[in-house]
Each structure stands twice: as C-alpha cells, then as structure tokens.
Amino acid sequence: MENIRNFSIIAHIDHGKSTLADRFIQLCGMVTDRQFHDQLLDSMDIERERGITIKSQAICLPYRAKNGKDYILNLVDTPGHVDFSYEVSRALASCEGALLLVDAAQGIEAQTLANLYLAMEHNLEIIPVINKIDLPSANPEGVALQIEEDLGLDADHIQLCSAKTGLGVESVLEAVVNLLPPPKGDPEKPLEALIFDAFYDPFRGTIISCRLFEGKVKAGDTILFMSNKAAYRVEEVGFFRLTREPQNELSAGQVGYIIAGIKNITDTRPGDTLTLKDRPCAKALPGFQEVKQVVFSSIYPVSTDDYETLATALEKLTLNDASLSFQKDASTALGFGFRCGFLGLLHLEVVQERLEREFDLSLILTVPSVNYHLFLKDGTMKEVDNPAHYPDPTTIDRVEEPYIKATILIPERYMGVVMTLCMERRGENTHYHYPMPGRIEFTCELPLGEIIYDFYDRLKSITQGYGSFDFDLLDYRESDLVKLDILVNGERVDALSQLVHRNNARARGLHACEKLKEEIPRQMFKIAIQAAVGGTIIGRETISALRKDVLAKCYGGDISRKRKLLEKQKAGKKRMKTVGNVEIPQSAFLAVLKSD
Ligand code: GDP
Ligand code: MG
C-alpha cells in the first residue's frame, strides 16, 4: 500500500484537466507517442467535441519515481460541470489527494472554488498546479499569489506546468508521489468498497469502478450492494489500464473494476458501498444519495414510426447512464413519447445529441420544466414536473417550487449587471464578499425554474465570459405560479405550456408569441399564435400566409433543379412536427424559454 497514490484532478472547465491526464498517461509509458492522440480519457465523441468530461473514469498509472521506487498512481477523473457535482464528490471520496489545476492566464474561477471546497470536505491533501505557463498571457506569479493568499494553500507546494508542451509535468507526478499520503486500510477486514462509477458493456454487463477501503475481493466471491441488498457473484476483478487488466484480487487501498454479470445498471448506484455477502461490513460508507433529476422534458419522435426506436434507444442509454430516467408520456399535440428526467440542462442536451447522433432519430423536446409541489385543497400533495398535467387551478391551495443557491464569481465591474440579471430571475437574499482583490463572490437564492434554461448563457454574455457559476439545491418555497398556455390557430399546444410567476406571465406570454413567430415558417394560410392564462388571452401574434409556390420559380424547365428543391423541402421538414394543421419546427419548443 506504501506505493499506491489515489488522486483526482479538480479544475474549472477548460483549465486543462483532460490534457494533463493524457500527458500523465503518455509519461507513464502506457502509450507510444504515435498512439498518443488528444484526450484519451474523454472517450465519448460529444465529450471530446464539447471539451467536457461527463462521466468519471479511472486509470491506473505505473510510475517509476526519481527515488528509484515503483508506484501505482490511480487517477480518478471527475466530471467538470455543475450538473454533475454529486459524481465529483463520489470520485473525490475515493482519493487521498487532489491536484487543484488553475489556468495561468485565467486564474481562479467559480468551479475552482466549488471543487476545492468539495475536496476539503473530504479532507484531501491538495497540491496546487498552475497550468498553461506556455501561454504568452500567462501570469503564474499573480495566480500563485491568489492561491497562497486567497485560498490559503501552501505556496511551497505549487507546481508549474504546461500540459500542452509537457514542461513541468514530470515534477507534478513527483509531487503526487512525495506530497500525497498513501492509502490506509486493512485487507483482513470485511470488504468495504465505494462505487464511484459504472458503465455498461454489452458482453460483460455492468462494469463497476470502485475504491476499496477495507478487505479484499476476487472472482467467485458474492458481493452485496448495501443500499438495496442486491447480491451478485463476481466474475472478474482488475485494474483500468488503457484496457481492462484482470487481476487475481483487489485489496484495500486499490482502485479497480468488478464484473459480476449485472444486467441492470439501476442496481449499481454511484456512492453505494459494496461488501461481501458472507462477511458484510458493519455499515455503509457515508455520503450516499439517490440520484435526483431536476430538469424534466418530454421527448417525441418527429415521425410516429420512430417510437419503438426511441424506446430502445432510451433503454440503451440508461444502461450507461443511471441518472437519466424515462417513462411513457402522451401529448395531444405530439402523440406518444417519453417523459425524461435529467440532472440539468447540459445533461439534457447531451442526451438529445446522443439520441440524434447514435440512433439517427429526429426528435422534438418539450419546454423543460422543474418539479413542482402542488398542495391541493383536499389536503394531498401532488408532484408535477409536466405543465401539461397541471390540474384545475381551483383545486390547488398553494404551489411550491425548488430554489437553489447560486454562487457566481465575477470581476468587480460586473456586479451591477449580474445583480440585475438575478433580480429579473426573482433572486433574493443576495450576499457578496471579496474572496480575492478585484473579484466578487456573489451568492443569491433563485427559483431553479428561472435558471434552467439560459441563465448561464446570459451570465456569460453580460460578463463577457468572465462570470462563472455554480449552484446547490436548497429547498422548496411557496410561489404564486400560473400555467401559461400557447394556442396555435386556436388549438392549445400542451407541449408548449409552462409554469410562470403570475407577475411575469404577461411578459413571458408576449415573448413566447414573438419567439414562435420567428421560429414557425410561413405556411399556405394565416397562423394565429396566442398566449393564455386560464381562459384569458394575454398575447397574440400573427404569421401571414405564404403566397408563392416554391416550384413556381422553376418555370417547369429544369427537372433536376425541381427535384433538388423538393428534397431540400423534405429535409427541412424532418425536424417539423405537425400540430393541428400547422408545422412547428423543433427549435420552437426550446426557443420559447430563451430570452432573446
Ligand atoms: P478541461 O476542460 O479541464 O478538461 O480542459 P482541456 O484539457 O480540455 O483543455 C482545454 C483547452 O486548453 C484545450 O484547447 C487544450 O488544448 C488547452 N490546453 C490545455 N493545457 C494547456 C497548456 O498547458 N497550454 C496551452 N496553451 N493550452 C492548453
Ligand atoms: Mg476535460
């Protein structure tokens, strides 16, 4: 155990976490330079394109240190986005130490702080690393001062590197060996292993990533999940190298994988404790939480023929992503589909992209919503996450909606605009302090429903990219909410309904009508778009009829040109859904929530 180091890299997004991880892999001789391609750890296409790590992964690096001894360095990667902070906390709980990576040009950002606080909660030893020192705009001295004075971390331990050029990367690994403590634990005690990730392999079933704190596990053992008492026989255990490397056993202090013929990923929950059925541990490791979806949206296939494909696709995705939930749903406007729950908007977008890309589906997603608590006059409480299922308002006594605490880090000069944005979104209880000179850490309590759509984008744009943001769920609070309906040619489109605060209803209604007018293409007849609360129309827009026949331009002459035009029209249609007799494009459903 003396020669093991379990660590994580924590950073604000884009500060170079994946690049540094890949450098480590290369430096430990696991790939030749020719095999080395950017960002080995981010294996999903979407992750690579968007430069974010969605799921945590682990890799076991063999490293011969300058002292001549051989070490096993287990790097547990963490997701870098606010939607996934529970996953981050489970990954950190598997480690003794963390590298706090800070961009030499950007300095400390909101997620640098948020992740640092998480790491401190888990009592991790922290090594500050300043990355991107190759950049002309790098200011390592300034950032080092921030780290020392504002974060209170030991300046003597600060490492400087460039993950891009490789400069200084080896001394970061030396620091991991010399400054981080080895794991503790007793291989003779009953097994206690923390699950920090799981993914599905079509041939082997669920592959569990875990950290062993006590005890041992080997093929043939029967493991027990502490949260739901499910038991499985272990088929294989091993380490993560670039591929899985089977081992005879895993033992206290180690990080590795377990395969136990588990076909159902819902049994495997990050944060759960694994033990042995014959000799269980006394109690589960702390910190386990059920995943909590906070954003809901319904997904419908554009073509009703695709319903079965969508069902299969969602089942396949949930095999790998236990935080995605779905159940059957029907809409009068859109037909049959699924109501899905997500960890946040980014999670929603990733799922949408995967469905469209990997399963070649053309989809409509309804206006995202949060989960509301409705207290009815008959004394019962009803949870509603779909405005289409909102009951008759006269039966409702009061409504509560989820609130978050937002933490926003900005240069001082943006204080005014950020304050205004938060007030527009019904923010309350604002506080601020100066964690470092010239920077403000602004906290504010906001309804989750007001930030799910474009709060982060707005924040980025009003602060010219300097604002960073993180949030925690707080509680449910009473609000005066009403259901805003949209009618297209007199027909209510349930998929466009949303719950809004009464004071904002008119403005939101007008805004939705305007947006829809922009999004819905002109058709052969006039289209009326109306917004209504209860039975009262509060806004209206009209899309005038299209007169020109597209084919009229072609004078009957050029057949191939005609065909091309028709094909183009058809392709354009693929993302349209006919509601009543009006074709509504996919973009319209999300656009109604977007401000500008
Ligand atoms: P992550 O979001 O923290 O995983 O960040 P990435 O590793 O994806 O890096 C974000 C961007 O910064 C990418 O374009 C990298 O090529 C770039 N980058 C990472 N490390 C360095 C570095 O040391 N120097 C420079 N100039 N760019 C870097
Ligand atoms: Mg990354």
Side-chain angles (χ1 to χ4, degrees):
M1 234 179 288
E2 235 351 88
N3 66 345
I4 300 178
R5 297 291 182 275
N6 298 317
F7 73 107
S8 218
I9 309 176
I10 51 180
H12 189 75
I13 201 152
D14 277 348
H15 283 197
K17 186 160 64 79
S18 303
T19 313
L20 184 63
D22 292 342
R23 277 288 158 203
F24 288 164
I25 293 170
Q26 187 190 25
L27 210 82
C28 292
M30 300 186 59
V31 280
T32 62
D33 290 349
R34 279 191 54 192
Q35 287 172 315
F36 185 75
H37 66 103
D38 277 351
Q39 311 213 334
L40 290 162
L41 272 187
D42 290 348
S43 54
M44 273 193 334
D45 278 357
I46 301 168
E47 295 189 353
R48 211 170 290 175
E49 271 169 38
R50 296 191 169 208
I52 47 166
T53 307
I54 294 163
K55 300 217 42 152
S56 32
Q57 302 199 27
I59 193 153
C60 167
L61 305 162
Y63 177 67
R64 174 160 296 170
K66 295 219 170 95
N67 62 16
K69 289 189 200 148
D70 285 319
Y71 291 85
I72 293 291
L73 311 181
N74 289 309
L75 169 57
V76 177
D77 197 17
T78 56
H81 192 275
V82 289
D83 280 5
F84 303 98
S85 58
Y86 176 65
E87 278 77 356
V88 177
S89 87
R90 294 306 84 204
L92 294 180
S94 310
C95 300
E96 277 76 38
L99 300 178
L100 181 77
L101 195 64
V102 186
D103 184 318
Q106 303 285 323
I108 291 158
E109 301 277 359
Q111 281 163 259
T112 316
L113 285 175
N115 286 325
L116 174 67
Y117 296 153
L118 270 180
M120 285 175 160
E121 274 173 35
H122 292 286
N123 294 319
L124 299 194
E125 189 68 37
I126 307 219
I127 304 175
V129 179
I130 300 177
N131 186 34
K132 306 199 189 182
I133 54 169
D134 62 294
L135 285 177
S137 55
N139 175 13
E141 295 80 17
V143 176
L145 213 63
Q146 277 191 339
I147 289 173
E148 187 180 11
E149 292 186 350
D150 306 328
L151 304 185
L153 296 174
D154 192 344
D156 292 342
H157 292 168
I158 294 177
Q159 307 294 312
L160 299 175
C161 76
S162 164
K164 189 172 178 184
T165 66
L167 182 72
V169 174
E170 197 171 358
S171 38
V172 177
L173 285 179
E174 285 295 314
V176 167
V177 165
N178 296 321
L179 301 176
L180 299 186
K184 295 195 197 78
D186 182 352
E188 301 313 321
K189 280 194 180 166
L191 177 69
E192 255 176 64
L194 177 70
I195 302 177
F196 61 84
D197 195 14
F199 57 97
Y200 189 77
D201 178 299
F203 301 107
R204 306 300 308 268
T206 300
I207 315 239
I208 301 169
S209 311
C210 63
R211 155 73 199 267
L212 274 73
F213 283 92
E214 311 283 355
K216 285 188 254 195
V217 62
K218 59 180 186 316
D221 288 345
T222 301
I223 46 168
L224 183 75
F225 292 84
M226 295 287 274
S227 74
N228 59 5
K229 306 295 175 217
Y232 291 91
R233 204 179 138 83
V234 177
E235 291 170 5
E236 183 181 311
V237 300
F239 297 147
F240 292 104
R241 293 283 164 84
L242 284 184
T243 55
R244 294 191 296 269
E245 270 186 21
Q247 303 289 321
N248 290 332
E249 65 173 20
L250 294 179
S251 162
Q254 294 178 332
V255 170
Y257 70 86
I258 299 178
I259 297 175
I262 306 168
K263 293 284 176 260
N264 182 359
I265 199 158
T266 49
D267 271 351
T268 322
R269 305 173 190 171
D272 197 1
T273 304
L274 277 180
T275 190
L276 292 184
K277 187 152 188 278
D278 297 340
R279 198 181 161 218
C281 56
K283 59 179 196 325
L285 294 157
F288 175 65
Q289 282 171 21
E290 298 282 343
V291 278
K292 188 97 189 95
Q293 286 92 14
V294 296
V295 175
F296 301 84
S297 167
S298 299
I299 303 185
Y300 295 93
V302 167
S303 153
T304 42
D305 296 345
D306 283 342
Y307 177 79
E308 289 302 327
T309 319
L310 175 60
T312 320
L314 282 169
E315 258 160 41
K316 283 200 181 138
L317 282 192
T318 44
L319 285 177
N320 254 320
D321 182 355
S323 48
L324 169 67
S325 71
F326 68 99
Q327 63 190 71
K328 284 193 182 128
D329 191 22
S331 147
T332 37
L334 302 175
F336 289 103
F338 295 93
R339 188 74 185 168
C340 301
F342 307 91
L343 296 177
L345 248 294
L346 177 79
H347 188 209
L348 175 150
E349 284 173 31
V350 167
V351 168
Q352 175 184 6
E353 257 182 73
R354 291 192 64 188
L355 288 170
E356 293 187 334
R357 246 192 249 192
E358 294 168 27
F359 301 92
D360 199 26
L361 285 161
S362 187
L363 303 169
I364 299 275
L365 272 78
T366 63
V367 177
S369 169
V370 299
N371 181 29
Y372 296 94
H373 289 174
L374 273 49
F375 294 85
L376 304 180
K377 291 196 174 132
D378 65 10
T380 58
M381 196 270 272
K382 188 176 154 118
E383 293 192 37
V384 170
D385 62 45
N386 188 346
H389 298 161
Y390 203 64
D392 174 0
T394 59
T395 63
I396 301 171
D397 179 38
R398 64 195 162 87
V399 182
E400 289 185 358
E401 63 178 332
Y403 266 68
I404 57 139
K405 180 175 171 191
T407 305
I408 298 168
L409 193 67
I410 38 169
E412 206 169 1
R413 62 183 180 280
Y414 296 111
M415 182 67 179
V417 285
V418 169
M419 188 72 133
T420 309
L421 173 67
C422 290
M423 291 303 117
E424 277 168 20
R425 304 294 175 104
R426 298 193 278 134
E428 51 193 72
N429 224 342
T430 55
H431 289 283
Y432 64 93
H433 72 118
Y434 294 83
M436 54 203 82
R439 289 271 192 139
I440 289 184
E441 188 181 66
F442 178 76
T443 59
C444 175
E445 298 173 7
L446 294 148
L448 177 64
E450 295 282 345
I451 65 147
I452 52 169
Y453 205 61
D454 68 345
F455 183 82
Y456 192 42
D457 291 344
R458 294 276 302 137
L459 178 72
K460 278 277 172 211
S461 99
I462 62 173
T463 62
Q464 273 124 20
Y466 286 103
S468 53
F469 166 69
D470 197 27
F471 75 87
D472 292 309
L473 284 173
L474 280 178
D475 49 18
Y476 272 77
R477 296 183 191 174
E478 187 171 346
S479 288
D480 189 8
L481 298 174
V482 292
K483 183 175 165 219
L484 176 67
D485 287 318
I486 301 293
L487 291 81
V488 174
N489 273 353
E491 230 183 285
R492 191 169 61 89
V493 183
D494 54 3
L496 285 172
S497 297
Q498 48 179 313
L499 294 186
V500 298
H501 194 269
R502 189 181 302 276
N503 297 344
N504 299 338
R506 178 173 299 274
R508 291 286 169 88
L510 288 172
H511 176 77
C513 291
E514 274 167 32
K515 280 284 164 191
L516 287 170
K517 185 179 180 183
E518 286 169 22
E519 294 288 334
I520 299 177
R522 292 167 71 190
Q523 287 161 40
M524 302 306 290
F525 43 84
K526 197 164 87 177
I527 304 169
I529 303 168
Q530 294 167 307
V533 169
T536 316
I537 303 294
I538 55 167
R540 183 191 166 100
E541 290 281 346
T542 308
I543 302 175
S544 55
L546 186 71
R547 248 153 295 152
K548 247 179 282 158
D549 180 354
V550 208
L551 292 182
K553 276 197 252 156
C554 302
Y555 307 112
D558 184 347
I559 283 290
S560 69
R561 175 142 179 246
K562 231 188 226 176
R563 192 181 308 126
K564 254 190 213 148
L565 257 173
L566 281 171
E567 271 165 15
K568 223 168 112 190
Q569 264 194 332
K570 225 166 107 196
K573 248 185 217 155
K574 249 192 102 186
R575 281 165 173 266
M576 302 262 207
K577 189 83 188 174
T578 311
V579 174
N581 55 358
V582 179
E583 293 198 318
I584 303 183
Q586 181 190 50
S587 52
F589 293 86
L590 293 181
V592 297
L593 265 197
K594 226 176 191 164
S595 54
D596 304 312

